[in-house]
Amino acid sequence: MTDLKSMTPEELTAWCREQGQPAFRGRQLFQWLSRGVVSTQEMTDLPKALRAKIDQEGGISPPSVERKQVSKLDGTIKYLWRLSDGNCIETVLMRYRHGNSVCISSQVGCAMGCAFCASTVGGRVRNLTAGELLDQVIFTQKDSGVPISNIVLMGIGEPLDNYDNVRRFLTLVNHPDGVNIGMRHISLSTCGLIRGIDRLAEEGLQLTLSVSLHAPDDETRSALMPINRGTGVEALLAACRRYFAKTGRRISYEYAMIDGVNDTPRHAALLGDRLEGTVAHVNLIPLNYVEESSLKPSHHVAAFQRQLEKRGIPATVRRRLGSDIDASCGQLRRKALQNRAE
């Protein structure tokens, strides 16, 4: 089976030549795949022999909508996509005044084990291919009829744990003959894989790096995020400083506000100490409720924000979207897995 959807136009051109086709067929094929066709029969300007070869190689296998929820409050759309192997992933379309964003998954499940996240329930099953990452953007736009201008890699999975496929996806989605979404309109979120951050810094991409920090000290962060036990907060922030020095791109620190765990004045003061003098932005996130977790949303978000801003650290509170649907990451997939088990 040949994964055509994960190929660049140049690779598709080489593949078409191997099939005895002229070079320009590669560009045509890439454009068709970027439009979200569901069958080779839609590729009307490709010869029948080439379409037959594509079907022979495994076809184009579009994802199917397993479940779809639409918020009556703000129009947020949550998709549970079923992939060709039967696994399911989530994608969320969010509407903002500055444009529409799609939050996509990078893995089926997640191995990071963060205590506040439903995505990690059941662990990681497999990485998504570059084509499966791209399909989330293409088919969300196609099904919703809503033009997408921004991409957030913050769904199920850890993007830097699937580095090569994510990097290839970025090339595909940025290509002018395809979806053509610029790097400055893409945000990649990581729980803090230091080698991945250093590797990404060397790429020189103009995307926004978001680091899920969630605590300024090792004791609290290690309890919330097992990944911290092998590195520590200081080593992570050192990697972030190297990233900024290399790219000049401001880092956004994600901080889920959890009642009595990481939301005290002491935590705010320590976070201020850690970030003072750096070019950073803190995104305070009201915690989403997860059935399997005992963690509760904080009531001190505003006070925490004020304390950071007094230290000269920009801090905003993430707008809650889709509160009347299962918009937070991993919940829809978790319910689907539970239904299967029953």
Side-chain angles (χ1 to χ4, degrees):
M1 182 174 177
T2 303
D3 184 10
L4 298 174
K5 285 187 175 181
S6 295
M7 290 185 180
T8 64
E10 295 75 20
E11 290 168 338
L12 287 172
T13 294
W15 183 81
C16 286
R17 281 176 171 165
E18 290 174 2
Q19 316 312 316
Q21 298 289 332
F24 71 87
R25 296 296 186 198
R27 182 180 178 184
Q28 287 180 314
L29 179 52
F30 182 76
Q31 290 174 331
W32 279 116
L33 294 174
S34 298
R35 294 173 194 166
V37 294
V38 298
S39 165
T40 55
Q41 298 307 307
E42 296 179 58
M43 302 176 181
T44 51
D45 58 357
L46 297 185
K48 288 184 178 179
L50 182 56
R51 284 183 274 166
K53 181 61 178 178
I54 294 170
D55 289 331
Q56 182 183 335
E57 290 291 315
I60 54 178
S61 303
S64 60
V65 178
E66 179 74 8
R67 193 172 176 189
K68 176 181 176 181
Q69 295 180 333
V70 182
S71 170
K72 296 179 181 179
L73 300 177
D74 50 45
T76 298
I77 304 177
K78 177 70 169 281
Y79 288 96
L80 183 68
W81 298 106
R82 183 169 293 279
L83 305 176
S84 59
D85 65 354
N87 279 302
C88 290
I89 54 171
E90 297 178 359
T91 307
V92 182
L93 174 65
M94 301 165 289
R95 303 168 191 257
Y96 297 98
R97 281 178 294 180
H98 62 268
N100 302 307
S101 295
V102 61
C103 179
I104 67 173
S105 298
S106 57
Q107 296 174 312
V108 179
C110 184
M112 297 299 109
C114 298
F116 48 82
C117 183
S119 298
T120 195
V121 177
R124 181 185 62 191
V125 178
R126 69 171 176 85
N127 289 333
L128 295 183
T129 67
E132 289 170 330
L133 284 152
L134 186 62
D135 272 351
Q136 293 175 73
V137 181
I138 293 170
F139 284 94
T140 295
Q141 184 167 259
K142 183 177 180 181
D143 181 85
S144 66
V146 175
I148 292 170
S149 55
N150 301 282
I151 299 171
V152 183
L153 286 130
M154 199 182 288
I156 295 173
E158 163 57 55
L160 296 184
D161 192 35
N162 185 19
Y163 191 97
D164 291 337
N165 287 324
V166 166
R167 180 64 185 91
R168 177 172 282 266
F169 157 75
L170 293 172
T171 296
L172 297 176
V173 79
N174 186 234
H175 200 284
D177 288 336
V179 179
N180 194 23
I181 292 180
M183 288 293 176
R184 289 179 178 267
H185 294 270
I186 299 174
S187 178
L188 184 151
S189 177
T190 176
C191 68
L193 299 187
I194 291 177
R195 289 184 181 178
I197 293 173
D198 285 335
R199 188 178 175 187
L200 190 65
E202 295 298 324
E203 302 274 7
L205 303 176
Q206 293 296 295
L207 52 71
T208 297
L209 178 65
S210 296
V211 175
S212 296
L213 187 59
H214 304 308
D217 62 292
D218 286 332
E219 181 181 2
T220 306
R221 192 168 194 267
S222 293
L224 293 172
M225 306 177 72
I227 188 66
N228 191 72
R229 296 167 193 166
T231 55
V233 172
E234 183 49 47
L236 172 58
L237 293 179
C240 292
R241 290 191 291 271
R242 291 193 298 272
Y243 182 89
F244 176 77
K246 196 79 176 179
T247 66
R249 300 286 294 166
R250 183 182 75 168
I251 292 175
S252 177
Y253 292 95
E254 308 290 326
Y255 200 100
M257 296 294 293
I258 307 171
D259 186 50
V261 176
N262 66 351
D263 64 340
T264 69
R266 179 182 70 83
H267 288 105
L270 183 54
L271 182 59
D273 291 340
R274 296 281 198 186
L275 298 182
E276 193 170 30
T278 66
V279 181
H281 169 262
V282 177
N283 189 14
L284 301 174
I285 306 170
L287 184 73
N288 287 304
Y289 175 71
V290 176
E291 283 184 20
E292 291 84 358
S293 175
S294 60
L295 302 177
K296 299 293 185 290
S298 171
H299 301 288
H300 308 292
V301 178
F304 200 95
Q305 180 185 21
R306 286 195 298 270
Q307 197 167 343
L308 289 177
E309 289 177 338
K310 285 180 181 178
R311 299 287 294 273
I313 299 167
T316 54
V317 180
R318 179 184 292 177
R319 176 185 167 202
R320 294 195 69 173
L321 296 175
S323 59
D324 58 331
I325 60 174
D326 296 314
S328 60
C329 186
Q331 293 198 63
L332 210 53
R333 177 175 175 269
R334 174 179 54 80
K335 290 181 179 181
L337 291 174
Q338 287 176 342
N339 291 336
R340 276 198 222 175
E342 294 170 358

